Amino acid sequence: MQVIQSSKLANVCYDIRGPILDEAMRLEEQGHRILKLNTGNPAPFGFEAPPEILQDILRNLSTAHGYGDSKGLLAARRAVVMHYEDRGFEELTVDDVYIGNGVSELIQMSMQALLDDGDEVLVPAPDYPLWTASVSLAGGTAVHYRCDEQADWYPDLADIEAKVTDRTRGIVVINPNNPTGAVYDDELLRGLTDIARRHNLIVYSDEIYDKILYDDATHTPTALFAPDLLCLTFNGLSKAYRVAGFRSGWMTISGPKEHARSYIEGLSILANMRLCANMPAQHAIAAALGGRQSIKDLILPGGRLLEQRDAAWKLLNDIPGVSCVKPKGALYAFPRLDPKVHKIKDDAQLVLDLLKQQHIFVVQGTGFNWPDPDHFRLVTLPRAEELTDAVTRIGTFLDGYKQP
Ligand code: PLP
């Protein structure tokens, strides 16, 4: 008997760990060393966990083996409330905070609790593809608003507004952006939230890279422009605190919650159904938010992440037919392959060929719901020397690359 997957998965796609990863693992089994530039996972590149996080987890480990509150450890939720109070949020309480097994789980819950078949959510293109996948899995339709490479990857507000229909329920903002590295200014966030206000949309703001900013970039939480709108803000420990494997993130609900009682009840049902988030890792949250913000050492002048961003950006732009907007935040570069120089019809094939020929694993741009096969994403996590070598090899590969 053939066992066939659910039709719910028909439009669900997550290429960052897609079929090309299977080929990368096959090559590794054959003894090849693969440089994995596909996931924003700091640990394998020598980034250590902040010591206070490890200490607090270890100190609490012997009493963290039971189930806990579905919404999360009180001390962790308090720390999240204090963190956002410092950033200017008003009237947030511990009841408005949900702790999850990474932001990933909370993104999925937020869409499952919201959408009926045919409902629409505005999602950026390119996007972090979990958003589109979560909308689809929940029965909704992701309607992509295009970010403009010529405008530092800012979205066009008129394009967003033109895509609102009577089925649109929410708008997703990813700031700083994965994969483009764009960081939005106040004017853009005000414009986005004005659209949400005009059309009664819920705002979903994914701010997991809010502390990974380069040059003069500053980050403002979207919710500060929308105290009168229901706004869900997502963040966690995976990136700024480099502990992605602990799977620890949070979601806050701000704005007029009295109009969203049923939705919030739905979120609580889903939180109850998954019992609770991993308890030991929840002890890391207060330690992280209240501890030394060592991410600053990595992004300020002389910092490793800044140097790596600079090296990748410069070397990518040195490759003939490749251009890359300078990322202002996050951990990625999203270069463009000039279609006049590199005639790519299938960017997944391009990425597979790069993997086979150079043993470098990047992700195709269409994997981020970018419509054209003319981009790819690499992580800027390896040390500058290793990145220099990798980008040079990508240039060599592209030099002779022709698709049939
Ligand atoms: N949101 C964005 C924009 C991301 O880039 C990622 C991971 O790469 C996530 C969410 C998921 O993070 P977590 O590890 O907290 O599940």
Side-chain angles (χ1 to χ4, degrees):
M1 190 193 71
Q2 287 286 326
V3 181
I4 297 170
Q5 67 171 223
S6 158
S7 57
K8 290 200 287 292
L9 289 163
N11 295 315
V12 177
C13 184
Y14 189 78
D15 281 338
I16 297 172
R17 291 177 183 237
I20 299 173
L21 177 62
D22 298 339
E23 179 60 23
M25 282 157 68
R26 250 192 310 277
L27 288 166
E28 275 183 334
E29 275 162 25
Q30 289 166 12
H32 298 289
R33 182 178 170 270
I34 305 298
L35 182 59
K36 295 205 194 74
L37 302 184
N38 63 318
T39 46
N41 185 16
F45 296 99
F47 290 92
E48 285 173 6
E52 61 273 21
I53 288 187
L54 297 180
Q55 275 159 19
D56 270 39
I57 291 179
L58 287 173
R59 233 178 246 144
N60 288 286
L61 198 57
S62 62
T63 54
H65 54 296
Y67 290 134
D69 187 296
S70 294
K71 284 171 90 167
L73 201 65
L74 198 57
R77 287 191 281 146
R78 261 199 206 113
V80 171
V81 170
M82 279 172 61
H83 168 73
Y84 285 112
E85 273 176 359
D86 284 352
R87 299 215 64 189
F89 281 54
E90 283 168 11
E91 295 174 23
L92 204 63
T93 74
V94 287
D95 289 334
D96 306 322
V97 180
Y98 291 74
I99 310 288
N101 292 302
V103 167
S104 303
E105 183 182 48
L106 298 164
I107 290 175
Q108 292 177 61
M109 280 164 50
S110 70
M111 291 297 119
Q112 291 289 346
L114 178 74
L115 297 174
D116 281 324
D117 287 357
D119 282 347
E120 295 172 4
V121 179
L122 291 160
V123 178
D127 73 337
Y128 174 60
L130 182 66
W131 279 103
T132 295
S134 301
V135 171
S136 301
L137 186 61
T141 303
V143 175
H144 291 108
Y145 63 86
R146 198 166 165 128
C147 299
D148 181 1
E149 194 164 19
Q150 306 296 323
D152 282 337
W153 286 115
Y154 269 40
D156 174 7
L157 295 176
D159 177 50
I160 296 179
E161 192 137 30
K163 287 179 171 152
V164 175
T165 72
D166 54 5
R167 294 304 303 264
T168 313
R169 305 289 313 278
I171 179 165
V172 174
V173 184
I174 306 172
N175 179 40
N177 190 270
N178 174 8
T180 65
V183 179
Y184 301 146
D185 61 17
D186 290 3
E187 193 186 332
L188 185 90
L189 294 173
R190 211 168 276 124
L192 279 164
T193 47
D194 282 348
I195 293 174
R197 186 171 294 113
R198 277 198 290 278
H199 299 281
N200 269 324
L201 308 180
I202 306 176
V203 177
Y204 293 88
S205 192
D206 182 341
E207 304 182 358
I208 196 163
Y209 299 103
D210 68 339
K211 292 196 171 77
I212 306 186
L213 302 167
Y214 306 114
D215 311 326
D216 52 356
T218 54
H219 176 268
T220 315
T222 313
L224 293 188
F225 298 97
D228 55 331
L229 302 179
L230 197 71
C231 183
L232 279 68
T233 302
F234 299 80
N235 210 329
L237 301 185
S238 293
K239 314 293 178 177
Y241 302 95
R242 287 95 64 204
V243 291
F246 289 168
R247 312 304 303 120
S248 203
W250 57 86
M251 168 177 91
T252 64
I253 306 179
S254 55
K257 285 153 276 189
E258 63 283 5
H259 300 308
R261 282 209 192 97
S262 146
Y263 179 48
I264 292 169
E265 241 173 67
L267 288 170
S268 294
I269 292 171
L270 295 176
N272 292 344
M273 281 165 62
R274 57 85 213 241
L275 308 187
C276 65
N278 171 19
M279 291 300 289
Q282 292 192 51
H283 290 283
I285 292 176
L289 292 175
R292 191 172 163 271
Q293 302 304 304
S294 49
I295 186 68
K296 286 194 186 138
D297 304 342
L298 300 168
I299 58 166
L300 290 175
R304 203 187 136 177
L305 283 174
L306 178 66
E307 271 180 14
Q308 292 164 193
R309 187 281 315 247
D310 285 343
W313 171 71
K314 185 181 171 308
L315 288 158
L316 284 164
N317 280 300
D318 285 348
I319 301 173
V322 175
S323 58
C324 182
V325 174
K326 200 172 200 175
K328 289 287 199 174
L331 302 170
Y332 314 93
F334 194 59
R336 173 176 189 264
L337 301 164
D338 184 344
K340 289 196 214 88
V341 181
H342 304 285
K343 297 183 174 48
I344 311 297
K345 288 189 215 93
D346 179 350
D347 59 351
Q349 186 61 47
L350 170 95
V351 162
L352 185 63
D353 292 337
L354 173 66
L355 172 67
K356 286 182 178 160
Q357 291 178 33
Q358 293 288 343
H359 298 159
I360 296 172
F361 183 13
V362 299
V363 182
Q364 64 273 27
T366 53
F368 301 92
N369 296 295
W370 183 245
D372 308 310
D374 56 3
H375 283 76
F376 64 94
R377 188 196 77 170
L378 69 159
V379 302
T380 56
L381 286 167
R383 287 201 176 275
E385 310 81 72
E386 194 170 21
L387 260 180
T388 302
D389 176 58
V391 178
T392 307
R393 278 160 53 208
I394 291 174
T396 308
F397 162 81
L398 286 172
D399 193 26
Y401 186 72
K402 291 233 169 355
Q403 272 191 1

